[in-house]
Amino acid sequence: MSEAPEALVLDELSAVNSGSGGGWKDFVAGSLAGAAQVRMQVEKAGMFKGPVDCLLKTVKNEGVLGLYKGMASPLVGIAAVNSLLFWAYSYGKTLQTGSPNITPTMGQIALAGAGAGVVNSVLASPVELLKVRLQVQYNAAARGAEVFRGPVPLARHLVQQFGARGIAWGFWATVAREIPAYAAFYSGFEFAKRRFADLLTDGDASKLSPLPLMLSGSLGGVSYWVACYPLDVIKSRVQNGSAPPRRMGYIAETAKNIMAEQGVKGFFRGFSPSVIRSIPAAGVTFATYELVMRALNNNLM
């Protein structure tokens, strides 16, 4: 028997609020290495010896604030992006089980995560487009290129130059990344959470303390990047191009170009800072999500 409509609505509202709170914690905990990750992904081999060299050169040439370049876009959009993501994930689980009170299988978790990734791309793609293009501006002035001071002037420029395509730039590359990424993200978290519950609370995950929830979230964050990193490199390359792609085959074409230029290593440039920053970021995000969901559900019962 399916759950009452009121219970389903309350569950989805709780997911929206929890995702929003978790998103802000994710931004604070994990944004430091973002510029290094993107710069290593899009620049030619040889410009940076590694992530530490990239970070040091960024601080030397641009100051500490250079590490946060381009973060105004996700800062503004992170609450909406994470709210949409966690709502879609919660709704995807309920669609499959018929009730938010029925524990989904791991296969259902992965499917709900993949579906949430598709839905999330609607907001994540333009937010990341602006972030990527702002983060690689560090030598734009030297090249005679226009320098944008924030996401709003950049967004205005892209729309004026390319129309709606300017904001949808790289959308399908984002979708291709988000599907395996969030299937692994939620599966990794749920797998670890259930194992911790078996070990610590007789199988009752609702009694887990923040620490095992954070550790479970960290596994989800690492799983995210392991599942999608080459696709993230492709997305960053596409969104840092000279013009929005017109053909659907641009993902495969970009992959071929990376392979020709840098070989297999090109698909993993910037991987280590991504994984390292995901450990605290995803840990805090999931712990916040779970704890806020508990509090909201307890108050609504």
Side-chain angles (χ1 to χ4, degrees), residues 237 253-267:
R237 285 288 196 97
E253 184 177 338
T254 303
K256 290 179 181 178
N257 292 337
I258 294 171
M259 189 68 175
E261 294 171 8
Q262 302 177 19
V264 175
K265 290 183 179 179
F267 292 100

Side-chain angles (χ1 to χ4, degrees), residues 65-83:
L65 291 180
L67 299 174
Y68 292 92
K69 182 175 288 186
M71 298 313 293
S73 175
L75 179 62
V76 172
I78 192 67
V81 168
N82 277 274
S83 293

Side-chain angles (χ1 to χ4, degrees), residues 128-142:
E128 294 201 14
L129 166 67
L130 299 176
K131 182 190 73 171
V132 166
R133 297 190 71 85
L134 288 170
Q135 285 178 331
V136 296
Q137 284 192 124
Y138 57 98
N139 60 353

Side-chain angles (χ1 to χ4, degrees), residues 176-194:
R177 182 199 68 177
E178 301 285 69
I179 292 174
Y182 283 110
F185 186 62
Y186 288 107
S187 296
F189 167 71
E190 195 66 30
F191 174 81
K193 184 179 76 170
R194 294 181 185 186

Side-chain angles (χ1 to χ4, degrees), residues 9 48 55 87 102 109 111 124 144 156-157 161 175 182 186-187 228 253 268-269 272 278-280 282 286 290:
V9 171
F48 303 114
L55 288 170
W87 168 82
I102 296 177
I109 291 289
L111 186 58
R156 187 184 301 118
H157 168 78
Q161 189 168 8
V175 172
Y182 283 110
Y186 288 107
S187 296
C228 78
E253 184 177 338
F268 293 93
R269 287 176 56 81
S272 56
S278 76
I279 293 173
F286 270 115
E290 287 285 323

